[in-house]
Amino acid sequence: MYYVSTRDSSLRFTAAQAIVQGLSRDGGLFLPDTIPTLTLEDLRAMMPLSYPERAVRVMKPYLEEFSEEELLADARRAYAVPGKFDDPAVTPLHTTHHGTHFLELWHGPTCAFKDMALQMLPLLLTASLRKTGEEKTACILVATSGDTGKAALEGFRDVEGTKILVFYPKDGVSDIQQLQMVTQEGDNVGVSAVVGNFDDAQNGVKAIFSDGALRERLAERGYFLSSANSINWGRVLPQIVYYVSAYVELAARGEIRLGQELNFCVPTGNFGNILAGYYAKRMGVPIGKLICASNSNNVLTDFIRTGVYDRNRPFHNTISPSMDILISSNLERLLYLLGASDGEVRGYMDQLRATGRYQVSEAIARAVRETFLCGFCDDARTENAVGKVFSHGKYLMDPHTAVAYTVLMDHRAATGDNTPTVVVSTASPFKFCTSVLDALGVRQHAAGTAVLDQLAEASGQQPPAPLAGLKGRAVRFTGVTEKEGMAAVVEAMLR
Ligand SMILES: *Cc1c(COP(=O)(O)O)cnc(C)c1O
């Protein structure tokens, strides 16, 4: 197997090269040229396995240069070191009523699903650096809508041969998210706020990557730039695992028959999480529909319905900020996977850059609709869902999860579809205390970390240890930059 760019499939890369480089020089995203398959027997054989063991079964065929022993050791370090994940299942499934299962992906060190990939990526990356003979220090640049930043900082802190610099939108993250980042420990870390929204931060990072002169200056100082955003294949790959594992687990429990169709409803921003679900489906896991759930930034809802991607619309700051995105980078990989040629993808992306809009061919639009359902949910309905699900069953959802739950309920109400469905639950409710408190009817919010106690009291549940531990931590990073100043921040860190 080799890896190609979505915008130029003539150049071939190994998995390690793709992971080290992050983004292809032509601006495209790397993906494998073939998709390995899992049979129902393979899935059955995974039933008794632990999460790290399942991870090896899923990831190994994509990583030819990695040995099975090496991957197992890495997967155990990522997911099974005591204290890292606060649930022995790593990604526990919570069934609220028959046929509706919440896949909780937030039991890791930063309490959001980004940990699933970002506990693994640094291990894949350092191994890839060895395998490619790279001797320069990798500087990981991250643009974050809130959760990626902290998860990447935590994953890369003090990892030898790496530095990490995170940019977050100044007014686009929750207080707890910001506190998590600006108090980050580690000798190789940097954090800066950017004036603007997530797209500004992400575009700034993309511009730095394509700045050849800057890259040369950094190379002279012994650095090269790499990415921990979900444009890196090393982010997408570990996410495939939990789709496979959830299917296997529900079959093992008898909630579904092995071979029976299972849908997944995914709260979506950059399209990275749901893309991993699509890979799981293409690998042979009996996944029926993937339901793409958006908040008021519903550019993907419109795209899936019409085949027109149009980012020319108002940007909304919502109570599900990790989905406040108008340019969903990973959609580019989907277009390629659905049969668009490299030239066709390049054309769409050129149009997106020039006009903010593109329309895919009817063939691609049809292929999208065959697998993907979609819907969106505004803040009022999100808040309502958090409150209702809590008061009915004492199950506490974070706002992102609540968007997915609402979109699933809308779909079921509209169609009568009763296919068993996994709602992908992407964050601990304690990461978004103030919105969750509002939903529970508590409108006066305590300041700083005291909101954690307030939500604990209102919900009768305890905050996860990594969030409770924020109390009294010293703030290390106070820098703010304009978008135009991001490159200078990079240069200042890499003196
Ligand atoms: C990142 C994130 C999402 C969106 O995931 P994408 O891979 O960007 O689609 C949803 N919910 C939470 C809590 C997140 O952190």
Side-chain angles (χ1 to χ4, degrees), residues 92-368:
L93 277 154
H94 180 94
T95 299
T96 48
H97 35 277
H98 185 65
T100 307
H101 314 278
F102 288 84
L103 177 63
E104 296 180 350
L105 302 179
W106 40 264
H107 288 269
T110 75
C111 311
F113 97 95
K114 305 295 194 293
D115 286 328
M116 300 312 302
L118 282 162
Q119 284 300 308
M120 195 69 204
L121 175 69
L123 304 173
L124 292 176
L125 181 71
T126 45
S128 297
L129 289 171
R130 276 197 309 277
K131 289 173 203 298
T132 55
E134 178 61 64
E135 282 169 359
K136 290 199 278 296
T137 298
C139 179
I140 314 296
L141 289 189
V142 180
T144 184
S145 57
D147 292 328
T148 300
K150 176 61 183 178
L153 288 163
E154 204 48 49
F156 279 98
R157 73 188 260 192
D158 296 327
V159 171
E160 218 176 299
T162 70
K163 291 205 178 217
I164 172 157
L165 178 54
V166 169
F167 292 101
Y168 69 91
K170 186 168 166 287
D171 299 312
V173 301
S174 79
D175 289 354
I176 293 290
Q177 286 176 315
Q178 183 173 19
L179 204 56
Q180 279 184 300
M181 290 188 277
V182 298
T183 59
Q184 177 65 41
E185 293 168 353
D187 290 333
N188 63 338
V189 303
V191 176
S192 172
V194 178
V195 179
N197 60 36
F198 169 71
D199 288 323
D200 295 320
Q202 176 161 263
N203 285 335
V205 164
K206 283 183 182 167
I208 292 171
F209 272 106
S210 53
D211 182 341
L214 175 64
R215 221 177 22 236
E216 266 173 41
R217 283 199 299 284
L218 295 180
E220 281 166 20
R221 297 183 209 160
Y223 293 105
F224 75 97
L225 298 176
S226 188
S227 162
N229 277 107
S230 56
I231 49 180
N232 192 311
W233 174 251
R235 275 281 300 275
V236 177
L237 179 57
Q239 294 177 174
I240 303 173
V241 177
Y242 51 75
Y243 285 93
V244 179
S245 180
Y247 188 92
V248 166
E249 195 60 37
L250 289 175
R253 287 188 198 172
E255 293 280 352
I256 52 171
R257 221 176 353 90
L258 192 68
Q260 186 181 348
E261 268 193 0
L262 179 66
N263 290 349
F264 283 82
C265 185
V266 189
T268 303
N270 222 352
F271 211 77
N273 193 349
I274 197 168
L275 180 81
Y278 182 66
Y279 266 98
K281 178 177 167 75
R282 288 281 292 262
M283 288 180 81
V285 179
I287 294 172
K289 300 287 188 195
L290 290 158
I291 307 172
C292 177
S294 302
N295 63 26
S296 297
N297 296 295
N298 55 358
V299 64
L300 286 167
T301 315
D302 291 344
F303 170 71
I304 292 169
R305 290 205 176 127
T306 64
V308 176
Y309 194 97
D310 190 353
R311 63 153 302 191
N312 302 307
R313 59 181 72 210
F315 178 92
H316 301 284
N317 283 310
T318 73
I319 60 170
S320 46
S322 301
M323 300 154 68
D324 290 347
I325 292 175
L326 290 179
I327 302 182
S328 300
S329 301
N330 267 296
L331 191 61
E332 178 169 352
R333 284 194 170 103
L334 180 72
L335 301 179
Y336 188 92
L337 286 167
L338 292 176
S341 69
D342 51 357
E344 193 179 342
V345 172
R346 198 172 343 113
Y348 295 147
M349 295 305 132
D350 284 347
Q351 281 174 46
L352 181 63
R353 199 177 44 224
T355 68
R357 180 184 189 279
Y358 62 89
Q359 173 161 20
V360 295
S361 68
E362 186 44 39
I364 300 287
R366 204 176 320 112
V368 169

